[in-house]
Amino acid sequence: MSSIESVLTENRVFPPSEAFVKNAAVSGMEAYKALCAQAEQDYTGFWANLAREEITWQKPFTQTLDESNAPFYRWFHDGKLNASYNCLDRHLAARGDKTAIIFEADDGTVTKVTYKELHQRVCRFANTLKAQGVGLGDRVIIYLPMSVQAVVAMQACARIGAIHSVVFGGFSAKSLHERITDMGAKLVVTADGQFRGGKAMPLKPAVDDALAQAGCEGVEKVIVYQRTGGEVAWNASRDIWWHDAEAGQSDACEPEWVDAEHPLFILYTSGSTGKPKGVQHSTAGYLLGAIMSIKWVFDYKDSDVFWCTADVGWITGHSYVTYGPLALGATEVVFEGVPTWPDAGRFWHMIEKHKVSVFYTAPTAIRSLIKLGADLPKKYDLSSLRLLGTVGEPINPEAWMWYYETVGQSRCPIADTWWQTETGAHMIAPLPGAVATKPGSCTLPLPGIMADIVHEDGSPVEGTEGGLLVVKKPWPSMIRTIWGDPERFQRGYYPDTLPGYYLAGDSAHKDNDGYFWIMGRIDDVLNVSGHRLGTMEIESALVANPLVAEAAVVGKPHEIKGESIVAYVVLKGARPEGEEAKKIVAQLRDWVGKEIGPIAKPDEIRFGENLPKTRSGKIMRRLLRSLAKGEEITSDTSTLDNPAILEQLKQAIS
């Protein structure tokens, strides 16, 4: 593999303040290096000690890491535990009356739930699920708005050993159907609708549409939380209101003690082929990763008010809303709405109101808020903040600086975190009391995470050249397999070309200080507003339209969303022009929104009589990316079967 050249030069360095270092969980660079040295010297012992210290076990483990069937690693596999017990029961004696969740609804209504109350609600819903026939190993789809109920549903599944899969509330009926059929779900938990930006938006109709299709016959019940009060279609033999199902259920429920490797959840993520991947996570290893990353990266204090703005439909909402903070007995904010309603000061007002101390959000949100009101944070009292974080994609240096200076008032370290759905928890991120930060860099690997940058054959990359980001050793919170497709797991993450390394799918380089800089995906997965979308999925959706013969999708840089989606489309009929072209663009955008979800709608659609292909039929995506960016094509196009097509495809109809 030829080395990837880095074009980003960033020399600003921000060491942690003396006051922050003094009070940090990991205080100073020497303390960080000592932890890394422990992991280097006794890798399994390092993780075993943390697992014993941080997790409450019903049956202690005796074997830390089983590598006998690599890469299908097992951690702590002969131990038994329960994730819900670790998030709730073990806190009741010492902090039962402590606020667990501060829920702010879209309209600003605030509800506070203590650990004791949350425990009762989870137990009650766990008993509700059992009464509907759900038990150990059964799969449950959760399709809910951001709410206390979403956390309760996830924790209740964990409590009884059911395996949940949360589907983001913006996804379509088609996306739901794919997930229900792939995992063989027995029950769906949803709501009549959700409130976002002052508007009630339906949810249940998508469930009804999904279940009307073949392959969903295994779903026996749909539990519906009444959120908006809107009218919904009702199947009396299948649908039941949450409040009716819960009526008379006990608020005590003994946890189901499961093996450490028992699947806690399946979370679907886009791949470079059309079918979404069901990323399967274990119970113990996943929980340990969530706990340690909050302790290390967010420098957790018992007095913190923690706010991760991610939806529970994404891995960030699993690790840093539903499981990690609660496992530590933290107080956290859960928010139903959007950052720009009723105005662009919503986040800053909430930080002031709830005295948030740790704030974790996406670069997409930061860029949007800069555009809508760069000086707005100065109107609010943000003095409660002590630490900021970013997630979902690399943050560009100028947005980093605004976040640091305007939101953090030049005193809050920024934890720029690199990790994935597959990794379960942070992998590369600054420990804020130890590691000096650089705008745009995720800095250094966490203790016990053996990350590196290599060529395609696994040989190390020299100096500051770019290459493939890999993890050389297994770690507890890692993906266990792809649900129902172990071959795809092995092929995608542990290819034969690499010597047993986990392939992250990102390119990166290290600077002269050993800091990691993420450069982008090595495959055709787009990062739109922090959401990973496979180009193949969008292409498949477009080609499913009766008007479309062929489609190719690429990304181009977007100042707010990170990347925007550009689709090159060949119709079955003549290439359209003028008003007709605009009409078809609108039709196709709506079509993709229905097939996948609004997030996947192309920002631009360009029509051609064909696509640029080699004589062997391979679409030259590299050229399409250049066209999308408006770059002059200077590379050799003589290998193309149809070079004249490039001129046609320059014309954008948005």
Side-chain angles (χ1 to χ4, degrees), residues 188-267:
V188 176
V189 184
T190 189
D192 53 356
Q194 59 185 331
F195 288 106
R196 287 180 72 79
K199 297 173 184 173
M201 304 169 72
L203 277 179
K204 186 171 182 289
V207 176
D208 294 337
D209 289 351
L211 295 183
Q213 300 174 51
C216 295
E217 294 80 12
V219 174
E220 297 171 4
K221 289 289 180 182
V222 177
I223 296 177
V224 187
Y225 163 52
Q226 193 170 30
R227 175 68 186 109
T228 64
E231 285 190 25
V232 290
W234 203 254
N235 180 337
S237 65
R238 184 194 69 198
D239 302 340
I240 182 169
W241 288 111
W242 180 308
H243 55 269
D244 288 337
E246 239 186 16
Q249 294 295 340
S250 168
D251 57 12
C253 177
E254 281 300 305
E256 181 78 36
W257 302 107
V258 298
D259 294 339
E261 283 296 317
H262 178 73
L264 179 59
F265 62 86
I266 303 162
L267 188 56

Side-chain angles (χ1 to χ4, degrees), residues 292-548:
M292 294 318 304
S293 53
I294 291 180
K295 281 199 160 189
W296 285 336
V297 178
F298 295 134
D299 188 48
Y300 173 70
K301 313 289 184 203
D302 197 49
S303 57
D304 276 329
V305 176
F306 183 74
W307 185 15
C308 167
T309 66
D311 191 283
V312 290
W314 309 110
I315 187 65
T316 309
H318 283 57
S319 301
Y320 302 110
V321 177
T322 297
Y323 290 108
L326 297 178
L328 284 162
T331 296
E332 63 173 334
V333 173
V334 173
F335 177 45
E336 180 183 34
V338 294
T340 54
W341 190 85
D343 57 56
R346 184 68 181 267
F347 273 7
W348 322 129
H349 179 56
M350 287 179 62
I351 290 170
E352 177 184 82
K353 180 164 57 172
H354 302 305
K355 296 185 168 46
V356 172
S357 57
V358 178
F359 181 62
Y360 191 38
T361 197
T364 303
I366 294 166
R367 288 191 291 265
S368 296
L369 293 168
I370 292 171
K371 192 170 184 179
L372 293 169
D375 291 328
L376 265 176
K378 295 175 182 175
K379 297 181 179 179
Y380 297 89
D381 179 5
L382 305 182
S383 60
S384 61
L385 288 172
R386 66 179 194 88
L387 181 63
L388 302 173
T390 70
V391 59
E393 60 189 344
I395 182 170
N396 56 296
E398 292 318 306
W400 192 102
M401 288 303 303
W402 178 85
Y403 196 34
Y404 179 74
E405 293 173 348
T406 306
V407 179
Q409 299 165 351
S410 301
R411 57 180 177 75
C412 299
I414 295 178
D416 177 353
T417 59
W418 177 83
W419 61 298
Q420 302 173 308
T421 303
E422 295 88 344
T423 71
H426 302 151
M427 300 291 281
I428 308 174
L431 274 58
V435 178
T437 53
K438 298 182 182 183
S441 170
C442 52
T443 71
L444 301 172
L446 269 58
I449 302 302
M450 308 305 180
D452 205 353
I453 299 166
V454 299
H455 294 295
E456 280 182 332
D457 61 0
S459 61
V461 166
E462 301 298 327
T464 60
E465 293 176 344
L468 305 180
L469 179 58
V470 297
V471 185
K472 292 184 169 183
K473 286 190 176 183
W475 65 100
S477 65
M478 67 188 295
I479 177 178
R480 293 311 195 255
T481 188
I482 292 173
W483 179 262
D485 199 346
E487 293 82 9
R488 188 180 182 190
F489 163 74
Q490 192 159 1
R491 187 174 64 247
Y493 299 106
Y494 287 90
D496 294 339
T497 51
L498 291 173
Y501 296 166
Y502 169 86
L503 178 65
D506 280 333
S507 58
H509 77 281
K510 283 192 272 190
D511 65 19
N512 292 323
D513 296 321
Y515 279 39
F516 284 71
W517 298 78
I518 307 300
M519 299 167 67
R521 298 294 300 165
I522 57 172
D523 57 16
D524 286 317
V525 175
L526 304 178
N527 203 329
V528 181
S529 298
H531 307 319
R532 291 185 63 225
L533 301 172
T535 56
M536 189 65 73
E537 285 186 85
I538 304 169
E539 290 168 5
S540 298
L542 283 165
V543 174
N545 186 286
L547 295 175
V548 177

Side-chain angles (χ1 to χ4, degrees), residues 526 542 552-556 564-568 601-606 624 627-629 652:
L526 304 178
L542 283 165
V553 169
V554 299
K556 75 171 185 178
S564 64
I565 300 169
V566 181
Y568 296 89
K601 286 184 178 182
D603 297 271
E604 285 179 32
I605 294 179
R606 304 185 183 193
L624 293 177
L627 286 177
K629 294 175 187 175

Side-chain angles (χ1 to χ4, degrees), residues 119-146:
H119 176 260
Q120 291 171 341
R121 290 175 68 165
V122 168
C123 286
R124 199 156 52 241
F125 196 66
N127 288 325
T128 300
L129 291 174
K130 289 201 288 188
Q132 300 302 324
V134 177
L136 179 68
D138 287 333
R139 276 82 67 198
V140 174
I141 287 276
I142 298 172
Y143 186 63
L144 285 169
M146 275 299 284

Side-chain angles (χ1 to χ4, degrees), residues 170-175 533-535 537-545 548 551 553 565 567 569 584-603 605:
F171 276 171
S172 67
K174 183 173 185 291
S175 297
L533 301 172
T535 56
E537 285 186 85
I538 304 169
E539 290 168 5
S540 298
L542 283 165
V543 174
N545 186 286
V548 177
V553 169
I565 300 169
V569 171
I584 295 174
V585 164
Q587 286 178 12
L588 294 180
R589 292 187 77 246
D590 288 345
W591 173 272
V592 173
K594 185 180 178 186
E595 288 282 296
I596 301 177
I599 192 76
K601 286 184 178 182
D603 297 271
I605 294 179

Side-chain angles (χ1 to χ4, degrees), residues 603-622:
D603 297 271
E604 285 179 32
I605 294 179
R606 304 185 183 193
F607 295 108
E609 291 166 4
N610 210 321
L611 297 172
K613 296 176 184 175
T614 62
R615 290 177 179 87
S616 64
K618 180 184 175 185
I619 297 171
M620 295 293 284
R621 296 171 188 279
R622 172 175 49 81

